[in-house]
Amino acid sequence: PHANRKMATFAPNLNGTSMHAAGPAPRRQLTAEQVAMREYCMGEEGRNQDDSTVLLHVSHSNLKKTFFQEIRLNRHTSIQDVKQKLEFHTGTSAQSAQLYLLDEVGNTIAECEDQRKLGFYSPYDGCRLHIVDLDPNSASAGGWLEDTSLVKKYEISEEAYDARENTYRRFKEKKLQDDPNWTLKGEMEKKAGKAAVEQAFPSQAAPKIDDEEHLADAAAAIKVGDRCEVAGGRRGEVMFVGKVPELPLGWWVGVKYDEPVGKNDGSAKGVRYFECPDKYGGFVRPDLVQVGDFPEEDPFADLGDEM
């Protein structure tokens, strides 16, 4: 009776565990009901929400550099309870907070009253709750929660630092004694791999590519529809293989990631190469892409059979 049941698989990452040493674990298959539940919870853009909830931004009168993105709130929650929830995010007590609901461009919609429900003010996704801290002695006043220049830093003299044994300075001196050409980047490449080091040193400019066929051989082994894993452990599906005039010369691979870990929606500088939600797409060099059996990882893996 279950011959036509839709199934999905996943492979948990057991690297660094005792189970990894014993060999790969068998993949648990998801039933059609579990797949449907996951798709409902994730939604088209990796998230879903009930009709009674709203996604609001939050700003603060004292926190000039802090802007909280998309806090999910229930429309049936009282303004007093909303203030208490926001107290954990901003440090401003509910008694000292005055809330204002603003639209997406910063125009005031309403001054919120404690006894009202949030839904009374008809908020919609993208609106902003602005907190005015009425406490002149608030911990956030004067920039104390944001301006690190106001905090006294720990300082150590050169003599005291030189007297220490396990410091980076001592480590570097020893390495240079053994190898005058030693560099920290080279040391990291030995331990973490070249791809990981390139991500750790983003400020170092990559060499200019003059060859239009740069990495063509690596791209030849990749085709649209392949499951893949990009450097850093990001999994997804290959959606494009070819040259992108909007990017540096050479071959590129367009990837639709399983999670919102990308940089675009399948387009490069306004030119679309494949379809995917924003932050799910990316263009990477073929040598950073490994194709093979890389199934989508199950976000509910830790739940076991509780579903």
Side-chain angles (χ1 to χ4, degrees):
H2 303 297
N4 296 325
R5 176 173 287 185
K6 179 182 177 182
M7 308 295 282
T9 63
F10 81 101
N13 184 2
L14 301 175
N15 289 335
T17 68
S18 59
M19 295 180 66
H20 176 257
R27 294 175 183 165
R28 179 167 63 86
Q29 292 184 328
L30 301 180
T31 65
E33 291 81 3
Q34 291 173 324
V35 171
M37 175 64 74
R38 182 179 65 179
E39 291 177 351
Y40 171 77
C41 293
M42 299 296 287
E44 295 182 358
E45 299 182 356
R47 66 187 181 192
N48 207 350
Q49 66 184 69
D50 187 79
D51 291 339
S52 64
T53 62
V54 62
L55 294 174
L56 301 177
H57 304 304
V58 179
S59 58
H60 193 281
S61 60
N62 292 341
L63 304 177
K64 304 302 183 183
K65 300 178 183 178
T66 304
F67 191 82
F68 301 93
Q69 297 282 354
E70 294 187 344
I71 292 182
R72 191 187 304 265
L73 295 171
N74 192 297
R75 300 174 193 269
H76 302 298
T77 305
S78 69
I79 295 299
Q80 179 65 28
D81 288 341
V82 170
K83 288 182 178 182
Q84 292 176 350
K85 290 178 181 294
L86 295 177
E87 182 174 346
F88 294 100
H89 293 275
T90 66
T92 298
S93 67
Q95 293 77 15
S96 302
Q98 175 61 58
L99 290 188
Y100 294 87
L101 181 66
L102 312 180
D103 63 17
E104 61 273 16
V105 296
N107 297 319
T108 301
I109 297 176
E111 178 178 346
C112 303
E113 301 177 2
D114 290 354
Q115 70 275 16
R116 299 287 189 183
K117 302 291 186 181
L118 177 62
F120 175 81
Y121 301 103
S122 302
Y124 52 89
D125 290 356
C127 284
R128 172 157 57 101
L129 283 175
H130 181 65
I131 304 170
V132 175
D133 194 329
L134 302 177
D135 182 4
N137 299 315
S138 172
S140 62
W144 280 100
L145 295 183
E146 294 182 314
D147 189 353
T148 57
S149 67
L150 300 175
V151 182
K152 184 178 180 179
K153 311 300 188 298
Y154 173 76
E155 297 180 356
I156 184 173
S157 66
E158 287 292 323
E159 293 77 10
Y161 185 75
D162 285 336
R164 295 189 175 188
E165 293 294 333
N166 298 322
T167 63
Y168 173 72
R169 183 178 296 175
R170 290 294 183 90
F171 169 79
K172 182 178 180 180
E173 289 174 353
K174 186 178 184 304
K175 287 293 185 179
L176 290 175
Q177 288 176 359
D178 298 337
D179 179 8
N181 297 319
W182 177 89
T183 63
L184 177 60
K185 182 178 179 181
E187 184 77 13
M188 293 180 63
E189 285 182 351
K190 293 179 182 178
K191 296 181 179 180
K194 183 177 180 180
V197 174
E198 288 178 349
Q199 291 185 345
F201 290 85
S203 61
Q204 298 187 8
K208 183 178 180 180
I209 305 300
D210 297 321
D211 181 10
E212 293 185 357
E213 299 301 319
H214 179 62
L215 295 176
D217 293 340
I222 304 172
K223 64 181 184 298
V224 173
D226 283 343
R227 289 291 302 174
C228 67
E229 184 171 88
V230 180
R234 297 169 293 171
R235 292 189 178 187
E237 179 182 350
V238 176
M239 303 293 289
F240 170 84
V241 180
K243 299 176 183 179
V244 182
E246 295 76 24
L247 299 178
L249 294 176
W251 286 71
W252 294 86
V253 177
V255 178
K256 176 184 177 182
Y257 295 110
D258 298 333
E259 303 287 340
V261 294
K263 294 184 177 181
N264 55 58
D265 60 353
S267 61
K269 297 183 179 179
V271 179
R272 179 164 302 282
Y273 288 85
F274 59 92
E275 295 285 343
C276 73
D278 191 26
K279 304 300 182 183
Y280 278 76
F283 294 91
V284 294
R285 289 297 194 182
D287 59 343
L288 298 179
V289 179
Q290 182 180 0
V291 298
D293 185 17
F294 295 108
E296 181 177 354
E297 295 177 318
D298 181 14
F300 300 109
D302 294 338
L303 298 180
D305 297 325
E306 294 180 5
M307 298 177 65

